[in-house]
Amino acid sequence: MREKRIVVIDGQGGRMGSAIVAGLKAEDVPGEIIAVGTNSAATAAMLKAGADAGATGENPVAVCCRDADIIMGPTGIITANALLGEITPAMAAAVSESRAQKLLIPVSRCSVTVVGVRELPLGEYVKLAVQGARELLAQ
């Protein structure tokens, strides 16, 4: 039986993605953590935070989403042209169509507002996302 695969997707400087990776590692969440950046800076930041492997660009998003058990990142990864255009329509489709459970952190800058979600600091959202991943993998 293969190890569960957690795919963390982020862009820009990879701040959120690296916080997610660091949180997963700090909480010893079981699973292989794959960092996929929309650019090399984001990928490098997530690898530095402790991801097990990393890749950059549209094709890695498509390939990694196929085999993912959990996908984590900002809400923008399911919206074409989000993150200042870094999320291509193909990337958004790959994430949206994946059978993986998605644990998304709300970010209003991606032109998506999730009604009813309370405004929290990024660190609190990361803690909730890590806790969600742990619970999903325990099932």
Side-chain angles (χ1 to χ4, degrees):
M1 183 158 96
R2 79 168 173 82
E3 189 174 28
K4 297 289 186 173
R5 185 166 290 154
I6 303 168
V7 174
V8 181
I9 302 173
D10 199 11
Q12 315 226 313
R15 181 172 163 246
M16 182 184 297
S18 61
I20 292 169
V21 170
L24 292 167
K25 288 294 188 175
E27 292 297 318
D28 204 25
V29 175
E32 178 185 24
I33 301 171
I34 308 295
V36 183
T38 61
N39 61 62
S40 58
T43 304
M46 291 186 283
L47 285 168
K48 186 175 180 181
D52 298 312
T56 302
E58 184 176 86
N59 197 57
V61 169
V63 171
C64 292
C65 285
R66 277 187 229 141
D67 297 331
D69 295 294
I70 296 174
I71 298 173
M72 301 176 76
T75 52
I77 65 175
I78 59 169
T79 305
N81 303 311
L83 302 181
L84 300 176
E86 290 186 26
I87 300 296
T88 67
M91 288 175 172
V95 173
S96 298
E97 294 170 0
S98 173
R99 67 161 188 80
Q101 181 66 44
K102 288 103 179 148
L103 296 174
L104 304 177
I105 295 176
V107 179
S108 59
R109 290 188 319 216
C110 295
S111 299
V112 174
T113 300
V114 181
V115 176
V117 173
R118 60 184 189 232
E119 192 72 27
L120 296 174
L122 176 61
E124 290 301 311
Y125 281 130
V126 169
K127 286 179 189 175
L128 291 170
V130 169
Q131 178 183 354
R134 177 179 291 292
E135 291 169 4
L136 285 169
L137 293 172
Q139 295 177 0

